[in-house]
Amino acid sequence: MQKILIANRGEIALRVMRSAREMGIKTVAVYSDADRDALHVRYADEAVHIGAAPSNQSYLVGDKIIAACIKTGAEGIHPGYGFLSENAAFAKQVHEAGLILIGPSPEAMEIMGNKLSAKAAALKYNIPMVPGTEEAITDVAEAKKRAVEVGFPILIKAAAGGGGKGMRIVDGPDDFEEQMQLAVSEATSAFGDGSVFIERYVSSPRHIEIQVLGDNHGNIVHLFERDCSVQRRHQKVIEEAPSKVLTPQIREQMGKCAVDVARSVNYTGAGTVEFIMDDNLNFYFLEMNTRLQVEHPVTELITGIDLVKEQINIARGLPISFKQEDLQIKGHAVELRVYAEDPANNFLPDIGTLQTYITPKGPGVRVDDGFEQGMEIPIYYDPMIAKLITYGKDRDEAIERMIRAIDEYQITGITTTLGFGKFVMQHEAFTSRNFDTHFVKKYFTPDVLQTGNADEAKIAAILMGHLLGAQKIANSTTAVAENSNWVKNRSRL
């Protein structure tokens, strides 16, 4: 592959493009009306307009993605995450068009895209499972009977679900019927599939996931774990690697299980096997994400492996560039998802213009973003602005650097999760590693962010913006020249 199309937008599109450029591969961006002037469009060698702002008229239309590939001569498609990245029908469409999908086979995607078929595949290798049903249940009376057998509290889960949709916790039989009907209704609305199943509810779980890579030569490796337990609405907000609750023995066991799950579907490319862990350090298989994860940078920092480059080379037919025994954990990394959300208002999106946008720098700080000062956060897509990642020789240093980086990160015009991130970094439960997926519910209340420093921080950010303005003017001639070269070397189709 000498040219690839990135079927995504924002920070992940830029992330993929940068690795491709280092490999000497040309890149093609796609963009909607809302992203006409986005950074990923300017960075790519070529860009193709694919429709109106709503994703169901642009980024989710497989025909338009493939047409853009054919028009530009791109040989492969990197789907990033979200949008079409786990869509088995699109993966088949790509193969039928004679193109290469930088990801797993449509068959693997299809099996792992349904929690029940994923569990069935994993059971072939005796992977630990949360006690519950192994098939979809639609009859309420039968489901209630099975729930009693499993033992309350139980969790009703959508078979095709994700992100907490179609999920209900039930404490006893009296509430079961109503909660099941709600779960089925939500699953049908969100995924077009109302199938649900039952699991025993693990009351204080850690969310631990293992990064895996597989190639077309039968090699499958794991790149250790990530702890993603700090979540809001069942969606991750903070991730770190490695997990400080795992012993070396458990790490080895979980890694082997993750490799076996991938092997059960002859997995190729990058994927993540997710587990929950109870307070006795027993772990159970949850699901497999058949794509690059949002939180992949923390794995890259502790292993030194560029996962995007590995993805591309695997799609080219090359073997994984290292062996399992070559890997070792070096240091510690923490990631904060910087969302345009108001933590004091139940993390609801807070869309607007980035009046001030100054990113942190310095040792051990990485910012993956897709915005710059003056840009608007579109209402049509996920409100994530950036991923702020810090790295240190140990967990304490990574956390200290995260706090420093949050203080340096200046954003005005919208409310973000930066203040929430600092709250987490400084909380005793987090620093002592004694937390689970209920961290937000247990410890966070809106008033903890209502401090007198808020106005001072805003004033400081505005002053910093004015100070930097003079420097920007001084550099304007250079910037114009660079932008001119940029435009010459790409074409917008």
Side-chain angles (χ1 to χ4, degrees):
M1 288 185 292
Q2 298 304 309
K3 183 188 287 188
I4 63 173
L5 180 145
I6 294 81
N8 218 296
R9 62 179 298 278
E11 65 86 14
I12 188 57
L14 280 165
R15 162 73 191 91
V16 173
M17 289 174 186
R18 289 189 171 111
S19 283
R21 180 169 288 188
E22 290 178 13
M23 299 171 76
I25 298 172
K26 298 292 185 182
T27 58
V28 179
V30 291
Y31 64 95
S32 69
D33 287 347
D35 285 334
R36 188 174 295 274
D37 297 316
L39 293 184
H40 76 281
V41 177
R42 287 183 262 157
Y43 188 88
D45 296 290
E46 301 174 62
V48 181
H49 177 251
I50 55 169
S55 56
N56 62 1
Q57 299 178 44
S58 50
Y59 297 106
L60 287 173
V61 183
D63 289 341
K64 291 184 176 181
I65 301 294
I66 290 172
C69 259
I70 295 170
K71 186 174 186 178
T72 58
E75 303 141 276
I77 298 175
H78 195 301
Y81 53 73
F83 293 136
L84 295 169
S85 63
E86 293 181 281
N87 188 309
F90 175 68
K92 290 177 184 176
Q93 196 177 357
V94 171
H95 286 284
E96 289 168 358
L99 301 168
I100 299 170
L101 181 72
I102 302 172
S105 69
E107 294 76 22
M109 204 178 284
E110 194 163 21
I111 292 171
M112 288 299 165
N114 182 285
K115 289 182 172 62
L116 288 174
S117 58
K119 289 175 73 171
L123 279 171
K124 298 174 186 175
Y125 286 83
N126 297 315
I127 307 300
M129 300 283 176
V130 180
T133 62
E134 296 173 8
E135 70 285 331
I137 297 181
T138 55
D139 182 84
V140 176
E142 175 63 21
K144 187 173 182 179
K145 178 183 176 183
R146 298 289 294 277
V148 172
E149 293 171 356
V150 170
F152 288 95
I154 59 99
L155 195 59
I156 302 173
K157 299 175 73 173
K165 295 183 176 66
M167 184 184 296
R168 288 289 187 278
I169 300 168
V170 187
D171 293 318
D174 293 343
D175 300 325
F176 183 83
E177 293 182 22
E178 178 185 2
Q179 293 302 317
M180 180 169 172
Q181 289 168 355
L182 288 170
V184 170
S185 175
E186 187 174 3
T188 302
S189 175
F191 312 111
D193 182 351
S195 302
V196 298
F197 63 100
I198 295 168
E199 286 182 349
R200 181 179 297 161
Y201 178 60
V202 179
S203 59
S204 300
R206 298 287 285 240
H207 186 131
I208 309 291
E209 60 188 30
I210 306 288
Q211 177 71 58
V212 296
L213 283 174
D215 62 26
N216 293 293
H217 304 271
N219 302 305
I220 301 177
V221 299
H222 72 84
L223 292 88
F224 310 113
E225 79 282 355
R226 298 184 287 254
D227 192 322
C228 306
S229 299
V230 179
Q231 306 178 359
R232 53 95 174 94
R233 297 193 299 274
H234 301 286
Q235 296 175 326
K236 306 163 191 173
V237 186
I238 291 172
E239 302 97 354
E240 61 179 311
S243 170
K244 287 302 181 179
V245 299
L246 266 61
T247 64
Q249 294 77 16
I250 294 175
R251 177 172 292 117
E252 184 177 352
Q253 292 168 11
M254 292 185 80
K256 181 181 183 303
C257 285
V259 167
D260 284 342
V261 170
R263 200 175 302 283
S264 73
V265 289
N266 298 315
Y267 196 83
T268 56
T272 296
V273 182
E274 304 202 358
F275 300 90
I276 57 169
M277 175 176 281
D278 65 21
D279 48 13
N280 293 316
L281 302 186
N282 299 306
F283 63 89
Y284 307 98
F285 172 69
L286 269 183
E287 62 182 335
M288 184 177 190
N289 295 128
T290 55
R291 54 172 167 79
L292 195 68
Q293 292 278 89
V294 176
E295 57 273 18
H296 76 273
V298 293
T299 296
E300 293 185 323
L301 289 173
I302 68 163
T303 61
I305 302 296
D306 186 318
L307 290 171
V308 172
K309 289 182 179 178
E310 290 295 328
Q311 281 187 297
I312 293 172
N313 279 330
I314 289 168
R316 283 172 152 176
L318 297 173
I320 297 168
S321 66
F322 55 89
K323 304 293 184 185
Q324 186 70 62
E325 56 268 24
D326 297 331
L327 292 174
Q328 57 180 312
I329 296 172
K330 296 179 182 178
H332 196 94
V334 181
E335 175 178 298
L336 167 66
R337 302 189 189 191
V338 183
Y339 283 105
E341 292 180 346
D342 185 357
N345 189 21
N346 197 31
F347 293 90
L348 291 177
D350 187 46
I351 306 303
T353 301
L354 296 171
Q355 296 173 0
T356 306
Y357 186 74
I358 303 168
T359 58
K361 295 175 176 61
V365 176
R366 168 176 166 176
V367 179
D368 285 15
D369 62 5
F371 291 94
E372 61 186 2
Q373 190 163 290
M375 292 180 68
E376 289 189 5
I377 309 297
I379 63 172
Y380 307 98
Y381 316 116
D382 184 271
M384 188 169 72
I385 301 169
K387 300 181 310 197
L388 174 59
I389 312 104
T390 55
Y391 175 80
K393 65 180 183 295
D394 54 29
R395 189 172 189 262
D396 289 344
E397 185 172 68
I399 290 173
E400 290 163 1
R401 282 180 169 163
M402 178 60 76
I403 294 170
R404 186 260 297 173
I406 290 171
D407 286 341
E408 289 182 10
Y409 211 143
Q410 302 295 334
I411 300 176
T412 63
I414 56 171
T415 305
T416 74
T417 51
L418 284 170
F420 169 77
K422 186 172 181 179
F423 165 78
V424 176
M425 294 299 124
Q426 295 178 323
H427 197 281
E428 189 274 338
F430 186 79
T431 58
S432 67
R433 309 159 193 170
N434 184 27
F435 62 96
D436 54 41
T437 58
H438 301 304
F439 179 94
V440 171
K441 180 180 178 181
K442 287 180 179 178
Y443 306 115
F444 179 75
T445 55
D447 60 285
V448 301
L449 300 181
Q450 305 302 315
T451 65
N453 295 327
D455 290 337
E456 293 176 15
K458 186 172 182 179
I459 292 169
I462 293 170
L463 289 173
M464 182 70 76
H466 286 307
L467 289 171
L468 289 179
Q471 185 63 42
K472 287 182 179 179
I473 292 170
N475 292 336
S476 61
T477 303
T478 302
V480 168
E482 289 176 350
N483 285 337
S484 297
N485 290 330
W486 210 351
V487 171
K488 284 179 189 176
N489 293 322
R490 57 171 292 280
S491 61
R492 180 176 293 170
L493 303 175

